[in-house]
Amino acid sequence: MKNIANPYETPRCSSDSLIISTTLKSSELTFCNSKPKSDYNAINKSRLSLNRLAERMTLGTPPTQAYGEPWYWDNRYAHESAPFDWYQKYPALAPLVHLYVPHRHQRILVVGCGNSVFSEDMVNDGYEDVVNVDISSVVIEAMQTKYSNRQQLKYIKMDVRDMSPFQAGSFDAVIDKGTLDSILCGNNSRQNATQMLEEVWRVLKDKGVYILITYGAPAYRLGLLKESSIWSIKLHVIVKFGPEGSSEQPIRELTNPVPLEEGGSSVEDVLGKNPDVHYIYVCTKEAKAKE
């Protein structure tokens, strides 16, 4: 499909200084940096038809800050019930999940699960206990109904900034595909993101892993991660989906970590500037949180 100019440019993620891209590719919204130092945070990857997009533009696209609000997600899932996986699908990420969550009996929390089939695919791969949370009551009710006969899958309405129903040290792994990015596009983004990360750290067991799949390069994610709690962090990368929804030829073996330095300079040395990848931070919980 040809790139089509979008006359409705509007500011995006205020915390990361993004704007909506002037192009549409494969019926998806794509994003660009508004400044050289902007975070390549592009979170809205929904495959929208041009007619649907035009309708939204006519009615008025909600501000990106809405991504942090329950009403936005309730409305979205009420009108878009088809399963959708943000960023990457499970088969593409399975080698990394196997590496860091090697035992199928380990308890896993998926935050911001939406209506993705990611967790279903994990259970089909043998994982026995996958708990899913989302802020939208609409999507949680739909997923509870859909998977009522799959005891390995649990769906709970919950705000990731306050997961107090879970005791400390409840999970071996937490998986996040775009939830932190979404929060960073909302109001009070830094505070809310810190609250989320502190809760993720709390519900993990010692040496548990937080697997964060994001558009955020190290220069824009490492500081946030390190300020929230004490983690041991490894970085992996995976190419973004191609036009047909499948990852292109890998630029680096997924299970091979990228050398990581403060500021991300070593990442640029390995991958070049502005690589077309998703960044995957594997954060291992250390024994003591920062005061």
Side-chain angles (χ1 to χ4, degrees):
M1 186 178 91
K2 279 189 175 182
N3 289 339
I4 301 175
N6 173 13
Y8 297 89
E9 281 193 3
T10 55
R12 310 304 287 175
C13 305
S14 57
S15 63
D16 295 319
S17 301
L18 296 178
I19 60 172
I20 193 169
S21 172
T22 58
T23 64
L24 297 172
K25 187 176 182 181
S26 301
S27 301
E28 293 184 0
L29 288 177
T30 58
F31 292 75
C32 64
N33 295 326
S34 61
K35 299 178 182 179
K37 292 185 179 180
S38 296
D39 186 353
Y40 207 82
N41 219 12
I43 72 160
N44 191 357
K45 294 287 292 178
S46 297
R47 293 177 174 83
L48 300 172
S49 68
L50 292 181
N51 289 338
R52 177 72 170 169
L53 179 62
E55 176 186 355
R56 288 192 172 189
M57 288 177 173
T58 301
L59 296 175
T61 302
T64 305
Q65 284 82 355
Y67 289 146
E69 302 298 331
W71 62 262
Y72 169 79
W73 296 108
D74 281 343
N75 182 67
R76 176 171 180 146
Y77 289 122
H79 292 88
E80 298 178 13
S81 58
F84 181 78
D85 264 291
W86 295 77
Y87 296 173
Q88 299 286 335
K89 297 182 179 181
Y90 179 71
L93 295 174
L96 202 66
V97 176
H98 295 163
L99 178 63
Y100 290 105
V101 194
H103 306 296
R104 299 302 195 268
H105 66 269
Q106 289 179 288
R107 196 176 191 212
I108 300 166
L109 174 65
V110 177
V111 293
C113 61
N115 57 14
S116 165
V117 297
F118 190 90
S119 297
E120 176 187 346
D121 288 343
M122 290 192 71
V123 168
N124 291 340
D125 192 25
Y127 287 96
E128 301 170 1
D129 191 357
V130 183
V131 179
N132 303 268
V133 299
D134 199 283
I135 200 170
S136 169
S137 59
V138 172
V139 78
I140 288 298
E141 289 171 8
M143 299 299 271
Q144 287 173 341
T145 300
K146 180 178 180 180
Y147 294 111
S148 60
N149 63 340
R150 301 293 296 269
Q151 62 180 5
Q152 306 95 326
L153 288 168
K154 301 174 184 66
Y155 287 87
I156 305 169
K157 180 185 181 297
M158 195 174 295
D159 187 331
V160 293
R161 297 169 299 176
D162 177 11
M163 296 189 284
S164 53
F166 297 137
Q167 294 183 353
S170 293
F171 297 95
D172 297 284
V174 175
I175 297 177
D176 172 2
K177 293 197 302 134
T179 299
L180 181 64
D181 286 359
S182 180
I183 286 176
L184 285 170
C185 281
N187 294 314
N188 301 318
S189 59
R190 191 79 177 189
Q191 176 183 346
N192 290 333
T194 298
Q195 289 175 349
M196 172 189 166
L197 291 170
E198 289 175 347
E199 277 293 89
V200 167
W201 190 95
R202 184 186 65 81
V203 301
L204 277 171
K205 297 178 181 178
D206 289 345
K207 301 302 179 181
V209 293
Y210 171 45
I211 302 176
L212 168 64
I213 299 96
T214 172
Y215 272 80
Y220 308 101
R221 289 294 180 270
L222 279 182
L224 180 62
L225 290 166
K226 291 180 177 180
E227 288 170 12
S228 65
S229 299
I230 296 180
W231 305 100
S232 173
I233 303 174
K234 292 184 179 179
L235 174 65
H236 298 258
V237 294
I238 186 171
V239 293
K240 297 173 185 175
F241 281 140
E244 303 304 319
S246 59
S247 294
E248 299 172 0
Q249 184 66 28
I251 58 176
R252 186 179 181 87
E253 182 67 31
L254 175 61
T255 55
N256 184 17
V258 177
L260 194 56
E261 295 176 2
E262 192 70 39
S265 58
S266 61
V267 176
E268 288 190 356
D269 292 341
V270 174
L271 304 176
K273 291 187 177 181
N274 300 320
D276 196 24
V277 299
H278 290 126
Y279 298 90
I280 305 172
Y281 300 88
V282 180
C283 309
T284 302
K285 177 180 177 178
E286 298 297 336
K288 183 179 179 181
K290 289 182 177 178
E291 298 296 334

